[in-house]
Amino acid sequence: MNETTNPLGAYLRARRDQVTPQQAGIPDGGVRRVPGLRREEVAMLAGISADYYLRLERGRDRHPSVQVLESIGRVLHLDDDHMAHLMTLVAEVPRQRKRRFRKETVPSGALKLLDSLVQPAYIEGRYFDVLASNGLATSLSPSLAVGGNQLRDMFLDQAEQELQPDWEDVTECFIASLRQAVGTDIDAPRFIELTGTLSLASPRFRQLWARHEVRRQWGTRIRFNHPEVGEMTLNRERLSIGGAEDLMLVIYHADAGSGDAEKLALLASAALPTRGAAEVLGVTPPREGPPASMTATPA
């Protein structure tokens, strides 16, 4: 059985590989054939029989109690996000009617808000597709143009990797967030297409995907090594959009009065019309009228 037919077993195997015997309080017993804990070790520490735990991993028992799952989660050092994900994988959780995967559509109000922002901003879908963006966002990164996919570019586009000095940390965050967002909806056509492409083309993606990390994305600071303005650190905020399930408004902004704010303003001066750029830079726009070279000279 694979992840599609036995998601609980795949998750348990991946997570016990991440826990060392030392972390579990087990004395080092020399050479081990597995990178993390053995099945019988997880069972012993969780207070269940080895045979029962084996049935769970092999998909022969899909109705474990909440108490059993909590005990296993404690042994595997699962945090709240990972524990919540584990609970969605058991058969006794009520299943919704098969989800209809509709086209992701941005509400008109959200588009108007996006157009009014002077910071780099864009709207992303469940699988990190860019559904809408402003000019400053695409100046920050070409991957933020409408129609792009941040996950694909992060793993397959060399220019995007060079833009991200903390590429390894950022890719880890993206994969954990994708796991959290998708949950058990792994039969969505867009999800299958995207993960299939990345699994074939990126060893880094395969490595991270196999770990089954689950984590929400929160506001954080992101470093950029921009080819035009150099290195800068921006705050990234992800805001949910009311009435649009799974869509997020993402905004980058710099600390007020910082050198990063000056660099972002320089980037804005090239991305926005003259008057808009002046507002971002905090300067007074020039008075409208003909250029000095076109002004009539008194006779």
Side-chain angles (χ1 to χ4, degrees):
M1 291 187 179
N2 57 26
E3 181 178 345
T4 302
T5 58
N6 181 22
L8 176 61
Y11 188 62
L12 292 176
R13 286 192 298 274
R15 297 316 302 167
R16 69 179 170 86
D17 283 348
Q18 306 302 315
V19 182
T20 66
Q22 292 76 20
Q23 290 174 319
I26 298 175
D28 188 0
V31 178
R32 300 173 64 89
R33 292 182 299 173
V34 294
L37 296 179
R38 302 185 180 100
R39 293 189 184 95
E40 58 269 23
E41 291 171 338
V42 175
M44 176 189 67
L45 294 170
I48 59 178
S49 72
D51 179 66
Y52 181 58
Y53 181 80
L54 180 62
R55 294 206 307 272
L56 290 178
E57 276 207 6
R58 292 186 174 176
R60 296 174 183 168
D61 189 324
R62 303 193 181 191
H63 300 272
S65 68
V66 171
Q67 290 78 10
V68 166
L69 292 176
E70 288 177 342
S71 295
I72 293 174
R74 173 181 50 79
V75 174
L76 299 182
H77 293 225
L78 301 185
D79 60 19
D80 290 345
D81 286 342
H82 287 86
M83 197 66 214
H85 183 70
L86 174 62
M87 292 295 184
T88 68
L89 302 179
V90 297
E92 68 180 25
V93 174
R95 295 291 180 181
Q96 300 282 343
R97 188 174 54 178
K98 187 173 179 62
R99 177 170 177 163
R100 295 178 61 190
F101 300 104
R102 299 178 179 143
K103 180 180 179 181
E104 294 176 316
T105 303
V106 182
S108 60
L111 290 174
K112 293 176 183 177
L113 174 60
L114 180 66
D115 288 341
S116 73
L117 296 174
V118 295
Q119 299 90 356
Y122 58 96
I123 295 174
E124 67 183 17
R126 194 183 196 192
Y127 310 106
F128 301 108
D129 292 307
V130 180
L131 307 178
S133 64
N134 62 17
L136 190 48
T138 55
S139 293
L140 182 64
S141 170
S143 72
L144 298 180
V146 175
N149 180 273
Q150 300 165 81
L151 199 64
R152 181 188 61 225
D153 291 340
M154 192 68 65
F155 284 96
L156 303 183
D157 189 328
Q158 183 66 35
E160 184 64 23
Q161 294 172 14
E162 292 173 355
L163 184 66
Q164 303 276 351
D166 303 313
W167 179 76
E168 291 192 354
D169 292 338
V170 173
T171 53
E172 183 176 341
C173 179
F174 265 89
I175 294 302
S177 180
L178 179 63
R179 280 276 188 196
Q180 191 279 330
V182 172
T184 57
D185 292 333
I186 55 178
D187 57 342
R190 178 58 176 148
F191 171 80
I192 294 172
E193 173 195 13
L194 183 61
T195 55
T197 297
L198 292 174
S199 294
L200 290 173
S202 172
R204 172 68 173 169
F205 177 86
R206 292 195 299 271
Q207 174 196 29
L208 293 177
W209 192 247
R211 292 171 58 181
H212 285 247
E213 292 283 357
V214 181
R215 190 183 319 136
R216 291 181 177 88
Q217 282 201 44
W218 305 106
T220 189
R221 290 172 64 80
I222 302 291
R223 283 201 306 150
F224 292 92
N225 186 17
H226 199 276
E228 295 180 18
V229 299
E231 185 171 309
M232 61 179 171
T233 300
L234 302 178
N235 304 293
R236 185 185 67 192
E237 312 296 340
R238 300 179 77 247
L239 310 174
S240 59
I241 299 174
E245 184 181 6
D246 299 327
L247 302 193
M248 303 293 290
L249 171 64
V250 184
I251 304 172
Y252 286 101
H253 61 99
D255 292 342
S258 66
D260 297 318
E262 294 178 359
K263 291 179 179 180
L264 187 57
L266 287 174
L267 198 59
S269 68
L272 299 175
T274 302
R275 184 168 296 276
E279 292 172 356
V280 172
L281 289 165
V283 298
T284 303
R287 180 175 58 85
E288 292 183 359
S293 60
M294 296 178 60
T295 302
T297 303

